[in-house]
Amino acid sequence: MIFATLKADGPDGQLIAVSKDHKRCLKIEDPVSNLLGAAENWDRIAEQLLAISDQLANGDGSSLDMSKLASPMPRSWQWLDGSAFSTHGDLMQIAFGLDPIDSDRPLMYQGVSDKFFGPTEDVTLPSTEHGIDFEGEFGVIVDHVPMGTSAEDAMAHIKLIVQINDWSLRAIAPIEMKTGFGWVQAKPACSMAPFAVTPDELGEGWKDGRVCLDLDIDWNGNKFGSANGAAMDFGFHELVAHAALTRDLVAGTIIGSGTVSNPNYAEVGSSCISEVRAIEMIRDKGAPTTPFMAFGDRIRMEGRGLDGSSPFGVIYQKVVRASL
């Protein structure tokens, strides 16, 4: 099943089911009208959702206007972002001059969950001096996960998969990291691609709790990277279990993979600017030369299926100066 959200007067938008070719849709209004409500009532409405999906498969539905789509989940109770790609972690330590983290536990922080930018919405930020960076990643949305759920059992709680741009302000990040209290200023709201999909929609692209797809990224029309999500050191089920060790996870919790990164970055590129800057520091034994983003820059992200399809649709956004 494929879901999206139409822009509407309320903060959670209007939930729709979408056909496999992304051309038709049907509104979902009873008993829930938004994706957060669907996550909270998933087991109760699963058969109804399947019936609507069957209607779309039979040719029903109205034409889908992509320009009217918001983030599939415009807000949620909780956004937990992991850092499950060791290559990215190793390169970030170089980029920020940090000591290696001696731990075999997944890394995770809690970020802004009250807003997710839509796939084509301008991203407003206050200053380029903050080091504006994009971070391409994948994420999952869960139903209610009881405290202490094992990684094996956590797989059944993963109801939807999404594609995310986790915006970062790199000049602020190391300052906040040194306080030991985590990020606030360095992590503004994230963006989300237009479609949230059930795991079965990815076919062989969903394996061992990992999104085994390339994440194609263009920056200002230039190819930037096509790293593959299969290289996660921890699968999403393990990230869910890690987050639920000491607390329940409320339905609608979104958990991110962290920046998609591959050991063969010289061939496939990267999913954030900081990685490229770290690579330049290693290669040139000096300061990086690639700048962070400027106002007016555009970023495009698209997860590509094994058959060349685009299961999550496209994030295509411009960074603009906020009116303060």
Side-chain angles (χ1 to χ4, degrees):
M1 293 181 284
I2 305 169
F3 300 96
T5 293
L6 295 172
K7 300 172 186 175
D9 292 336
D12 298 305
Q14 170 63 58
L15 179 63
I16 57 174
V18 179
S19 61
K20 290 185 181 296
D21 62 4
H22 299 167
K23 293 182 178 180
R24 289 172 292 105
C25 64
L26 286 169
K27 288 185 178 181
I28 300 172
E29 298 181 293
D30 183 32
V32 300
S33 61
N34 58 71
L35 194 57
L36 182 56
E40 293 170 333
N41 296 275
W42 194 271
D43 288 342
R44 185 161 66 92
I45 65 173
E47 289 188 9
Q48 180 180 342
L49 296 177
L50 281 170
I52 293 173
S53 181
D54 288 342
Q55 286 181 258
L56 286 165
N58 291 328
D60 292 346
S62 57
S63 178
L64 175 61
D65 185 346
M66 295 290 291
S67 69
K68 295 182 178 180
L69 295 184
S71 163
M73 188 173 277
R75 63 174 182 168
S76 187
W77 303 112
Q78 188 165 225
W79 155 240
L80 302 173
D81 195 16
S83 182
F85 295 87
S86 58
T87 298
H88 175 71
D90 293 344
L91 290 170
M92 288 304 93
Q93 288 166 13
I94 295 168
F96 293 127
L98 302 173
D99 293 330
I101 298 173
D102 185 16
S103 175
D104 58 358
R105 297 162 48 122
L107 301 178
M108 187 174 287
Y109 74 93
Q110 187 158 340
V112 176
S113 62
D114 58 355
K115 176 182 175 63
F116 285 85
F117 286 106
T120 58
E121 187 177 354
D122 286 348
V123 176
T124 54
L125 293 168
S127 174
T128 56
E129 293 181 2
H130 293 158
I132 302 170
D133 198 357
F134 50 84
E135 291 192 67
E137 57 184 272
F138 299 111
V140 298
I141 299 173
V142 299
D143 63 3
H144 172 252
V145 182
M147 182 192 308
T149 294
S150 68
E152 180 181 3
D153 292 340
M155 194 71 82
H157 292 285
I158 297 173
K159 300 305 181 183
L160 294 164
I161 306 173
V162 293
Q163 177 192 309
I164 294 168
N165 183 0
D166 174 33
W167 292 98
S168 294
L169 302 178
R170 300 299 196 181
I172 301 175
I175 299 171
E176 292 192 312
M177 291 169 71
K178 289 176 182 177
T179 69
F181 276 81
W183 288 306
V184 176
Q185 295 176 338
K187 288 291 186 178
C190 300
S191 304
M192 201 176 289
F195 305 122
V197 306
T198 50
D200 61 287
E201 289 291 334
L202 300 185
E204 290 299 310
W206 174 248
K207 188 179 299 183
D208 299 327
R210 293 159 171 83
V211 179
C212 305
L213 308 181
D214 291 342
L215 183 54
D216 291 346
I217 299 177
D218 294 345
W219 178 16
N220 289 331
N222 298 311
K223 186 71 174 179
F224 191 85
S226 295
N228 191 285
M232 288 174 72
D233 294 270
F234 299 94
F236 276 110
H237 55 308
E238 294 168 300
L239 296 183
V240 172
H242 172 78
L245 179 65
T246 59
R247 57 176 168 175
D248 288 4
L249 300 184
V250 65
T253 293
I254 307 167
I255 295 181
S257 65
T259 306
V260 178
S261 184
N262 294 168
N264 59 332
Y265 50 76
E267 301 168 26
V268 302
S270 298
S271 301
C272 72
I273 299 171
S274 279
E275 273 199 16
V276 170
R277 289 168 62 89
I279 293 165
E280 290 170 345
M281 293 168 68
I282 296 169
R283 183 191 64 207
D284 303 331
K285 297 180 172 58
T289 56
T290 299
F292 289 112
M293 298 184 79
F295 291 131
D297 280 7
R298 292 184 179 272
I299 188 70
R300 186 184 190 279
M301 296 183 178
E302 182 178 19
R304 302 297 299 184
L306 301 179
D307 57 356
S309 62
S310 177
F312 308 107
V314 177
I315 294 175
Y316 184 59
Q317 296 181 298
K318 181 170 66 173
V319 178
V320 299
R321 187 189 300 274
S323 299
L324 301 178

